[in-house]
Amino acid sequence: MAHAQQEINAEDRTPLAVERRGRVLVVGLNRQAKRNAINDETIEALDACFSSIPSDVGAVVIHGCGPHFCAGLDLSEVAERDVSEGVFHSRSWHRCFEKIEFGPVPVVAALKGAVIGGGLELAAAAHVRVSEPSAYYALPEGQRGIFVGGGGSVRIPRLIGVARMADMMLTGRVYSAEEGERLGFAQYLVGEGEGFAKALALAETICGNAPLTNFAVVQALPRIADSDPRVGYLMESLMAAVAQGDGEAKARVRAFLAKRAAKIECPD
Ligand code: 1HE
């Protein structure tokens, strides 16, 4: 199914291939000929897409059409920009990726092939990342004479730490899918060709959560983790009380106590 979709998308020229799968919005980077490198048109399309998530969407899956997730910034546009244009360009990525990280619903990224530079920055803005064995992670900004500009210096150290990110940028080190899962680039590593289906299944699971819990995870958790612990503990109490006070939470807890809800299963 996913492959059929990807072949159809290869035919059109829009930078994003967007479709609905029930309550999940599927957003595909759709510049296969350029390995899904992100140009200005792609950022504008992503920004518009994440600015207008329909209210009945419960989660988003972002993926790359074809064999690669994303080769990063479209380098053909770099040469055209002067310094001030470069600053505004980077800020346009920040605005766009903020809408992904702090949007109305959780975002699951399906990673395969190249997850490079700005592609890794985009993946880092998602909440859950699923990778296939073909995925590899690189930050070749050092080789290209540039710097991350899509929020990578804030988000990527949260996943792997400053020292590993510095090493990637200074030495051109490339991490494999297995290493990436171990280090924290991706929370899941699945078989080849299984990433999209797994991401979709996780997104469907997320859609089944109470909306206020999803809201709290997207909006409150990262802010609490970033704040002074004294502020964080208070924010946590407030968020917990808000979520718990909602009718949805009460109904779910009652269902468990009445033995009508699923138990937590021990993994195999
Ligand atoms: C591109 C880009 C791109 C491919 N910008 N055009 N990103 C990089 O430094 C990664 C550069 N790309 C690569 O290293 C390779 O292209 C790949 C490993 C991703 C894929 O290799 P391959 O052999 O499958 O494809 P290819 O033949 O290298 O590329 C196919 C076409 O895509 C080719 O164009 P064509 O017109 O000759 O067919 C490539 O030029 C084009 N292409 N990647 C422009 N990135 C907000 S700041 C973020 C800073 C960064 O992201 S730095 C990292 C940039």
Side-chain angles (χ1 to χ4, degrees):
M1 185 83 167
H3 285 290
Q5 182 62 35
Q6 287 166 13
E7 276 160 28
I8 293 164
N9 293 337
E11 297 301 314
D12 69 53
R13 292 282 174 267
T14 55
L16 290 187
V18 181
E19 60 163 327
R20 279 293 289 268
R21 298 277 184 106
R23 291 193 59 210
V24 179
L25 188 72
V26 175
V27 179
L29 299 172
N30 191 31
R31 297 185 75 221
Q32 285 190 57
K34 299 293 177 185
R35 307 305 183 253
N36 295 327
I38 300 175
N39 59 0
D40 288 350
E41 198 192 356
T42 310
I43 284 291
E44 281 161 26
L46 276 171
D47 192 302
C49 176
F50 281 89
S51 298
S52 55
I53 303 282
S55 58
D56 60 338
V57 163
V60 174
V61 167
I62 187 160
H63 70 107
C65 299
H68 297 282
F69 178 66
C70 175
L73 171 69
D74 188 319
L75 294 166
S76 68
E77 293 184 348
V78 174
E80 310 304 321
R81 279 190 285 271
D82 65 20
V83 170
S84 64
E85 286 167 342
V87 172
F88 289 117
H89 174 262
S90 166
R91 298 298 287 154
S92 74
W93 281 50
H94 289 169
R95 274 195 305 280
C96 176
F97 291 4
E98 277 266 322
K99 287 176 186 169
I100 296 173
E101 184 179 10
F102 291 111
V105 294
V107 178
V108 182
L111 308 178
K112 63 189 162 179
V115 186
I116 297 179
L120 180 51
E121 295 184 274
L122 170 59
H127 305 96
V128 179
R129 283 163 294 277
V130 177
S131 60
E132 296 188 8
S134 65
Y136 56 98
Y137 306 91
L139 292 170
E141 280 82 352
Q143 285 138 270
R144 310 282 178 238
I146 55 179
F147 190 63
V148 284
S153 48
V154 173
R155 295 191 183 97
I156 295 171
R158 287 189 190 135
L159 302 180
I160 61 164
V162 174
R164 283 201 186 89
M165 180 172 176
D167 176 37
M168 289 176 79
M169 293 189 72
L170 292 172
T171 69
R173 183 171 186 166
V174 180
Y175 282 113
S176 68
E178 290 76 14
E179 291 169 321
E181 192 238 1
R182 192 161 37 77
L183 296 179
F185 279 130
Q187 293 100 322
Y188 296 85
L189 176 59
V190 296
E192 208 56 62
E194 295 171 6
F196 181 84
K198 178 69 177 178
L200 192 59
L202 292 170
E204 282 161 358
T205 299
I206 289 167
C207 289
N209 294 337
L212 256 180
T213 305
N214 284 348
F215 171 85
V217 172
V218 170
Q219 299 292 334
L221 174 61
R223 291 182 166 103
I224 292 171
D226 270 352
S227 43
D228 175 326
R230 289 172 308 167
V231 176
Y233 289 130
L234 177 63
M235 278 170 69
E236 181 185 88
S237 295
L238 298 177
M239 192 66 246
V242 168
Q244 195 180 298
D246 191 56
E248 180 85 24
K250 295 196 184 309
R252 286 168 182 248
V253 171
R254 248 183 257 120
F256 175 78
L257 295 174
K259 309 216 178 295
R260 283 186 279 108
K263 290 187 189 182
I264 310 303
E265 281 176 33
C266 178
D268 303 328

